[in-house]
Amino acid sequence: MKWLIGFILIGTVMAFPNDIAKINRLKSEAQKSYQAGDYKNALEKYQVLIDSFKINEEEILMNYANAAFLITRGGQSVTQGIEGPANTGPSPSTDQAELYQSLAQNTYTGLAQTASPPLSSQAFNQLGVMAFQSAGPQPPKQLLLQAQGMFKSALITNATNQQARFNYELVTKMLDQEEQNQEQDNQEQDQDKQGYSVKQVTHRQYRWESCRQYNYSPSATASKTRLLRPCS
């Protein structure tokens, strides 16, 4: 029994250097694919590192999430976040794009809660960027508020995160502008209602005066005037 345990331990020790070599090779290949814009291949390499070799280094997880985010990125955004070369690999289908977005969001969420402050802040910022971009060029107020909360958390975690600061100020200005537009719309609606009421009263008065003039007739028995028919 002792010999068996010793044999297993020796076998494990002997295999370990080979694992290290494989891990380092996968990290290098994933980084090269990432830098070349081949995010699909980079994702596959990171997936092997995470699943097969149980590598949970936050830098690997961040690159994994970034690759999943960048593979579906379309065009430029007014917000500032992770940048990378344009995707040089195959374009994902709609179902694949949704899967990659979900993968990125879940990984960023985990990193935001557990990573070191710099990477946690970056993850919060990316979650804000994803919320902002999810609704197109004019995000609704609900998503703007969600993005603002993520950018604020990124700044609380790391006050030196300039991308998060830029994004927070941008979204805050957009929310302020939206509130001003809403107030202006409400004022215009109130003015329209008031104007309609004034027009109604003026129109009724005009009809009544016209009716009186049209129906005027001197009284036969007195100097008073009378109406030939009622005015509505």
Side-chain angles (χ1 to χ4, degrees):
M1 186 67 177
K2 291 181 180 179
W3 175 84
L4 179 61
I5 294 174
F7 177 79
I8 294 174
L9 289 173
I10 292 172
T12 302
V13 171
M14 290 177 64
F16 188 68
N18 291 332
D19 287 345
I20 293 178
K22 290 179 181 178
I23 290 170
N24 289 335
R25 186 180 72 252
L26 283 168
K27 286 181 178 180
S28 177
E29 291 174 352
Q31 184 177 7
K32 289 179 180 179
S33 296
Y34 185 100
Q35 292 174 343
D38 189 357
Y39 300 116
K40 184 176 185 297
N41 190 48
L43 275 171
E44 292 173 352
K45 302 296 183 184
Y46 287 129
Q47 192 77 56
V48 173
L49 286 168
I50 294 169
D51 292 344
S52 299
F53 292 97
K54 308 303 179 185
I55 303 299
N56 292 320
E57 299 170 8
E58 56 186 31
E59 292 82 3
I60 295 296
L61 294 174
M62 180 61 74
N63 289 340
Y64 178 62
N66 290 342
F69 170 77
L70 290 170
I71 198 173
T72 60
R73 182 187 61 177
Q76 298 295 322
S77 172
V78 294
T79 53
Q80 294 184 2
I82 189 68
E83 293 292 339
N87 181 31
T88 59
S91 298
S93 64
T94 302
D95 291 340
Q96 288 175 330
E98 292 179 356
L99 178 62
Y100 290 139
Q101 288 290 310
S102 177
L103 187 155
Q105 186 171 21
N106 292 337
T107 307
Y108 284 139
T109 300
L111 287 167
Q113 302 299 328
T114 61
S116 59
L119 287 184
S120 174
S121 179
Q122 184 179 343
F124 272 123
N125 185 65
Q126 284 301 115
L127 289 170
V129 170
M130 293 184 72
F132 184 91
Q133 293 181 351
S134 63
Q138 293 183 335
K141 184 176 181 180
Q142 181 179 359
L143 285 176
L144 285 177
L145 289 171
Q146 181 181 343
Q148 184 189 46
M150 292 299 176
F151 297 141
K152 183 177 181 179
S153 295
L155 286 173
I156 292 174
T157 306
N158 179 16
T160 63
N161 188 334
Q162 296 304 315
Q163 288 185 334
R165 186 173 302 281
F166 173 88
N167 293 336
Y168 179 78
E169 293 175 355
L170 171 70
V171 172
T172 300
K173 288 179 181 178
M174 293 179 69
L175 285 167
D176 291 342
Q177 184 62 50
E178 184 170 328
E179 185 175 350
Q180 291 176 7
N181 292 341
Q182 185 62 47
E183 290 178 356
Q184 184 175 353
D185 290 341
N186 293 338
Q187 289 176 358
E188 290 177 354
Q189 290 177 3
D190 291 341
Q191 290 174 358
D192 290 342
K193 290 179 181 179
Q194 292 174 1
Y196 178 73
S197 300
V198 170
K199 288 179 181 179
Q200 280 188 316
V201 172
T202 303
H203 181 65
R204 288 172 183 170
Q205 289 176 344
Y206 172 77
R207 287 182 59 196
W208 190 81
E209 292 294 337
S210 299
C211 180
R212 286 188 59 190
Q213 293 176 8
Y214 178 78
N215 287 296
Y216 169 77
S217 175
S219 174
T221 59
S223 60
K224 298 180 179 179
T225 60
R226 64 185 179 86
L227 297 179
L228 298 179
R229 63 174 180 271
C231 289
S232 58

